[in-house]
């Protein structure tokens, strides 16, 4: 598969044509993710598929699907192209196609990766080490507190927290993750230009500013029941593992855990009371082989040996490293990406250094993911 992908931001006719080709392929009746992958491997690009001709396509596809691919772009596809072009005028918006540089490798390697990812926010987060946190929409107060605590601690360690912007555990995980440098990714079951549920609109807007919203669905796609189980494969696909905080016996979170297991991801679960209905799903996962965890340290230890999270640092920083990081901080507020450039460290190494400085009282975390030096003490 070639790595050419839509680049309409330049305004070039070629980029706009490529965008239309991808939108046609994604919207073609009878063409799902796996079929599209087969065709891209065979014909090289969406344009190659459309130029292959009826006979070549018929060797691989049913007649109805061939007819759909050979049809000219529909009016709705042309309208979507124009909407995407307008949406991409905002520098915070991006569109990544399968095979394009920047498309997350961990997601590209699942059996049915989305052809297109609509991004609202910090697309660089898609390449950070990540862990998914999911659970019940009707979570208990303790469950939401646990989700927020685990997410905040993981984020402070440089791990990006992925969840689905649902009520309950998802929302608590996103809120906690925004407290640290790892930030958060919300994978939504609507178009990336919409916020659902409405009660999480303010949270979604904050994630778009400080984290990243991801959708495989075209702009304007409304929430429909089938979209949400399907997006779960993206939540786990972007992550080195999935932590289930609370889940009833028939919870949708168990779908994410099952998909994660099929994708070769680690599944973690928090135990609860044997009398609590929202602990039954977690206990079932543990019986089936999920890793029982009680602390963030247990998750970080597992992630350090995961090939899907190679940048999670494994050793505490030395005093010399702390002193060097203090110098790189300077005395003004600074964002994490700037610090990464100054230090030349991985996100995992940098996160551990900042955590050590914070625990020593030498660093303050500010809104918007920035940090500031607050002490001239010279020891971690």
């Amino acid at each position: 598969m070639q790595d050419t992908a839509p680049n309409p931001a330049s305004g070039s006719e070629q980029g706009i044509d490529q965008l239309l080709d991808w939108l046609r392929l994604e919207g073609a009746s009878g063409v799902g993710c796996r079929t599209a992958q087969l065709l891209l491997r065979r014909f090289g690009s969406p344009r190659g598929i459309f130029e292959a001709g009826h006979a070549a396509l018929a060797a691989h596809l049913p007649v109805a699907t061939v007819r759909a691919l050979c049809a000219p772009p529909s009016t709705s596809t042309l309208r979507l192209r124009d909407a995407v072009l307008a949406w991409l005028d905002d520098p915070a918006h991006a569109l990544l196609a399968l095979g394009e540089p920047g498309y997350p490798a961990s997601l590209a390697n699942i059996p049915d990766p989305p052809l297109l990812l609509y991004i609202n926010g910090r697309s660089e987060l898609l390449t950070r080490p990540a862990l998914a946190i999911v659970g019940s929409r009707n979570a208990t107060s303790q469950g939401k507190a646990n989700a927020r605590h685990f997410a905040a601690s993981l984020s402070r360690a440089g791990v990006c927290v992925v969840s689905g912007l649902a009520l309950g555990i998802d929302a608590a995980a996103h809120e906690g993750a925004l407290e640290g440098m790892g930030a958060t990714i919300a994978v939504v079951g609507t178009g990336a230009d919409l916020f659902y549920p409405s009660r999480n609109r303010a949270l979604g807007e904050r994630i778009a500013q400080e984290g990243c919203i991801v959708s495989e669905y075209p702009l304007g796609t409304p929430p429909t029941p089938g979209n949400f189980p399907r997006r779960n494969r993206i939540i786990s696909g972007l992550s080195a593992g999935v932590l289930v905080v609370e889940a009833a016996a028939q919870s949708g979170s168990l779908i994410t855990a099952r998909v994660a297991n099929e994708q070769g991801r680690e599944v973690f679960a928090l135990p609860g009371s044997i009398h609590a209905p929202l602990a039954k799903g977690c206990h079932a996962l543990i019986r089936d082989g999920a890793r029982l965890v009680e602390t963030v340290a247990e998750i970080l230890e597992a992630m350090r040996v995961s090939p899907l999270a190679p940048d999670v640092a494994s050793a505490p920083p030395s005093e010399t490293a702390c002193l060097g990081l203090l110098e790189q901080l300077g005395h003004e507020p600074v964002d994490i990406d700037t610090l990464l450039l100054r230090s030349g460290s991985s996100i995992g190494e940098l996160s551990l250094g900042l955590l050590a400085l914070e625990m020593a009282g030498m660093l303050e975390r500010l809104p918007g993911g920035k940090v500031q030096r607050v002490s001239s003490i010279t020891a971690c």
Side-chain angles (χ1 to χ4, degrees):
M1 187 190 309
Q2 69 177 34
D3 61 6
T4 301
N7 184 23
S10 64
S12 71
E13 183 176 344
Q14 181 184 16
I16 294 173
D17 288 345
Q18 289 174 353
L19 170 63
L20 181 60
D21 289 342
W22 280 97
L23 294 175
R24 285 179 65 191
L25 179 61
E26 182 188 48
S29 176
V31 179
C33 294
R34 298 192 187 210
T35 298
Q37 276 191 298
L38 181 151
L39 293 173
L40 288 168
R41 284 194 293 267
R42 176 64 181 83
F43 299 106
S45 69
R47 172 54 51 186
I49 295 170
F50 296 126
E51 292 179 345
H54 189 284
L57 293 174
H60 304 278
L61 301 169
V63 173
T65 305
V66 173
R67 189 178 300 119
L69 287 170
C70 291
S74 66
T75 301
S76 61
T77 300
L78 293 172
R79 283 200 299 263
L80 177 59
R81 176 202 59 188
D82 294 341
V84 172
L85 288 171
W87 188 72
L88 289 172
D89 283 340
D90 188 326
H93 298 162
L95 184 65
L96 298 177
L98 183 63
E100 179 185 22
Y103 191 102
S106 61
L107 188 60
N109 291 325
I110 69 173
D112 49 356
L115 288 185
L116 293 173
L117 290 177
Y118 294 81
I119 311 297
N120 183 0
R122 298 169 56 197
S123 59
E124 74 273 10
L125 294 177
L126 296 171
T127 62
R128 299 271 180 92
L131 184 92
I133 298 181
V134 298
S136 173
R137 287 173 170 79
N138 301 308
T140 66
S141 296
Q142 184 61 61
K144 288 185 280 190
N146 287 341
R148 183 165 189 146
H149 164 71
F150 271 75
S153 298
L154 287 163
S155 184
R156 289 192 180 106
V159 176
C160 186
V161 173
V162 184
S163 199
L165 197 58
L167 299 174
I169 296 300
D170 285 20
H174 288 307
E175 289 166 354
L178 289 171
E179 297 177 15
M181 72 165 68
T184 191
I185 296 171
V187 183
V188 298
T190 65
D193 55 335
L194 304 179
F195 295 103
Y196 179 84
S198 58
R199 284 167 57 185
N200 279 348
R201 181 179 183 87
L203 175 60
E205 291 174 342
R206 186 181 173 199
I207 293 171
Q209 291 293 320
E210 302 176 32
C212 179
I213 290 177
V214 174
S215 177
E216 68 175 316
Y217 297 109
L219 299 178
T221 300
T224 58
N227 289 359
F228 296 93
R230 180 165 177 75
R231 62 89 193 265
N232 291 343
R233 81 191 195 287
I234 302 177
I235 292 176
S236 56
L238 288 170
S239 309
V242 173
L243 170 64
V244 182
V245 175
E246 280 187 339
Q250 301 301 319
S251 171
S253 302
L254 303 186
I255 298 175
T256 309
R258 174 180 55 78
V259 173
N261 188 60
E262 292 171 353
Q263 293 173 345
R265 274 55 172 170
E266 186 85 57
V267 177
F268 306 94
L270 293 188
S273 167
I274 61 172
H275 304 293
L278 291 180
K280 293 189 180 299
C282 291
H283 292 170
L285 289 173
I286 292 167
R287 284 195 299 271
D288 290 341
R291 186 181 299 214
L292 185 156
V293 292
E294 298 175 309
T295 67
V296 173
E298 293 171 303
I299 296 175
L300 290 173
E301 185 61 35
M303 290 187 71
R304 287 177 187 128
V305 298
S306 169
L308 295 172
D311 288 333
V312 178
S314 59
S318 66
E319 183 173 331
T320 301
C322 286
L323 293 174
L325 185 52
L326 275 176
E327 292 298 319
Q328 291 151 5
L329 278 167
H331 295 278
E332 299 295 328
V334 61
D335 61 75
I336 302 306
D337 290 330
T338 299
L339 274 178
L340 283 170
L341 290 173
R342 288 180 185 174
S343 66
S345 303
S346 71
I347 184 65
E349 292 168 339
L350 178 61
S351 63
L352 284 179
L354 293 178
L355 183 61
L357 293 178
E358 183 181 18
M359 293 176 67
M362 294 185 284
L363 177 138
E364 178 183 12
R365 295 186 185 270
L366 304 176
K370 292 187 176 182
V371 294
Q372 183 173 17
R373 177 178 177 172
V374 295
S375 173
S376 58
I377 298 173
T378 57
C380 288

